[in-house]
């Protein structure tokens, strides 16, 4: 007999990077969960109630945490933890799952950008730092929850339900000054530094990598030196053949001009074996 555990996630607010949020929520829920204690004697299995024995935690050996990276301008810029608006305009997404021991659990790439080795290594180093920070936050939250439960208090989700902070997004209203918004926006734009460089065309970071975008000029119509020589030789042969053909036609025409007009031409039909005599006026204009 085994325990069967089902983990359901309900999305309350999607503001981007749902993969990372779901991975953190899922691993924290599994670490926080307690199952009933059991005892096995021969073939007899006893499941104890929480009043009889305290529930026991699951055997979780490590915490895989997902970290997402959004890429822009064909991989020129990368962004950690993209928001919903940033996901709309990104070229590609890379998700790396890692634990605090720097063991990579999974890597998933999507989008229309081709990544090179240096970019993936850079993202893995950033993931190691982020996973260490997130794991520490998770462990502290679990410890605080354990202490609060021992003292009989409420912590985490149970504390937020009465205030409707999670289910209804209830927050204290804050006054927002909407006067002179245009002027303030103009001042912010004027003070902001312009972008250092604008990439109008896709960039190939290394030879052989494919990029999807507006494209660059191709060299399919350009011929190598050897191909140019072969094409020149073929062109010279074709010109010589055309000259010989023209010369033959000229000789045939001169032979016909020497034929007497009053002399009839005899044509033989091989199938019917009949002889046809044509009068001079019935001769065709040009005969080869």
């Amino acid at each position: 007999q085994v325990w069967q555990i089902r983990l359901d996630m309900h999305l309350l607010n999607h503001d981007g990077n749902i993969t990372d949020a779901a991975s953190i929520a899922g691993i924290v829920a599994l670490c926080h969960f307690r199952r009933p204690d059991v005892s096995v004697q021969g073939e007899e299995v006893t499941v104890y109630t929480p009043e009889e024995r305290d529930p026991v935690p699951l055997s979780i050996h490590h915490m895989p945490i997902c970290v997402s990276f959004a890429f822009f301008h064909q991989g020129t810029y990368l962004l950690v933890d993209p928001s919903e608006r940033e996901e709309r305009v990104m070229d590609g997404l890379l998700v790396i799952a890692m634990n605090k021991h720097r063991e990579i659990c999974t890597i998933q790439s999507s989008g229309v950008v081709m990544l090179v080795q240096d970019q993936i290594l850079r993202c893995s180093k950033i993931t190691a730092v982020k996973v260490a920070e997130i794991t520490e936050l998770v462990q502290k939250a679990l410890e605080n929850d354990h202490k609060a439960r021992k003292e009989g208090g409420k912590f985490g989700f149970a504390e937020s339900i009465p205030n409707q902070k999670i289910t209804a997004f209830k927050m204290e209203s804050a006054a927002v000054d909407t006067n002179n918004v245009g002027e303030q926006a103009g001042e912010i734009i004027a003070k902001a530094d312009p972008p250092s460089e604008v990439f109008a065309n896709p960039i190939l970071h290394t030879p052989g990598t494919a990029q999807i975008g507006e494209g660059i000029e191709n060299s399919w119509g350009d011929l190598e030196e050897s191909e140019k020589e072969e094409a020149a030789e073929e062109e010279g042969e074709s010109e010589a053949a055309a000259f010989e053909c023209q010369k033959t036609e000229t000789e045939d025409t001169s032979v016909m001009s020497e034929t007497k007009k009053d002399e009839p031409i005899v044509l033989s039909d091989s199938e019917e074996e009949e002889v046809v005599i044509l009068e001079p006026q019935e001769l065709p204009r040009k005969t080869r």
Side-chain angles (χ1 to χ4, degrees):
Q1 296 182 358
V2 297
W3 287 105
Q4 180 180 3
I5 300 176
R6 175 178 173 178
L7 179 61
D8 295 329
M9 297 187 183
H10 300 276
L11 189 61
L12 301 179
N13 183 18
H14 181 19
D15 193 30
N17 197 11
I18 192 62
T19 303
D20 294 6
S23 70
I24 296 173
I27 193 64
V28 172
L30 293 175
C31 293
H32 185 269
F33 177 73
R34 300 290 186 273
R35 65 169 178 82
D37 195 8
V38 298
S39 63
V40 181
Q41 295 180 357
E43 296 182 356
E44 182 181 357
V45 179
T46 303
V47 180
Y48 298 98
T49 62
E51 290 76 15
E52 296 174 343
R53 288 188 182 181
D54 292 336
V56 295
L58 302 177
S59 299
I60 298 178
H61 302 288
H62 64 105
M63 298 182 184
I65 304 296
C66 293
V67 179
S68 297
F69 299 87
F71 294 90
F72 304 88
H73 290 284
Q74 299 298 325
T76 305
Y77 305 104
L78 69 86
L79 180 67
V80 185
D81 189 11
S83 63
E84 191 266 341
R85 291 185 177 181
E86 292 165 346
E87 288 181 345
R88 291 184 181 182
V89 297
M90 67 182 179
D91 296 331
L93 182 69
L94 177 67
V95 181
I96 301 179
M98 184 183 297
N99 56 22
K100 66 178 182 179
H101 306 294
R102 296 191 175 186
E103 297 174 346
I104 296 178
C105 303
T106 181
I107 295 180
Q108 180 182 7
S109 177
S110 60
V112 295
V113 63
M114 182 69 70
L115 302 177
V116 296
Q117 180 180 358
D118 294 341
Q119 291 173 315
I120 298 178
L121 292 176
R122 179 187 177 190
C123 293
S124 64
K125 294 179 181 179
I126 297 175
T127 301
V129 177
K130 299 296 293 183
V131 167
E133 296 175 355
I134 296 173
T135 303
E136 185 178 358
L137 293 175
V138 169
Q139 291 176 348
K140 287 183 179 180
L142 292 173
E143 291 175 1
N144 294 335
D145 177 81
H146 184 65
K147 292 179 181 179
R149 288 177 182 275
K150 276 189 174 181
E151 297 175 358
K154 295 182 179 181
F155 182 78
F157 185 79
E159 184 183 8
S160 302
I161 289 179
N163 298 328
Q164 298 181 356
K165 290 183 179 180
I166 295 180
T167 56
F169 304 108
K170 184 176 180 180
M171 300 177 62
E172 297 180 0
S173 59
V176 179
D177 185 11
T178 58
N179 297 326
N180 301 327
V181 175
E183 297 179 359
Q184 295 178 3
E187 293 177 358
I188 294 174
I189 295 174
K191 293 179 181 179
D193 296 331
S196 58
E197 188 175 1
V198 178
F199 299 91
N201 297 325
I203 300 173
L204 297 178
H205 299 278
T206 184
T209 57
Q211 301 289 338
I212 299 178
E214 297 178 358
I216 57 178
E217 296 181 359
N218 62 70
S219 59
W220 294 347
D222 298 338
L223 299 178
E224 300 292 339
E225 294 296 332
S226 59
E227 295 178 351
K228 291 181 179 179
E229 293 177 358
E230 293 177 359
E233 292 178 359
E234 293 178 357
E235 184 177 357
E237 293 176 359
S238 60
E239 291 179 355
F243 178 76
E244 291 294 336
C245 182
Q246 183 178 5
K247 182 179 179 181
T248 304
E249 291 181 356
T250 306
E251 292 177 355
D252 293 343
T253 306
S254 61
V255 170
M256 284 299 304
S257 62
E258 295 176 358
T259 304
K260 296 181 180 180
K261 295 182 179 180
D262 297 337
E263 182 179 354
I265 297 178
V266 179
L267 300 178
S268 174
D269 192 345
S270 60
E271 295 181 358
E272 299 180 359
E273 296 183 357
E274 294 181 357
V275 178
V276 180
I277 300 176
L278 300 178
E279 298 297 331
Q281 63 272 13
E282 297 179 358
L283 290 175
R285 295 182 180 178
K286 185 176 181 181
T287 304
R288 292 186 181 178

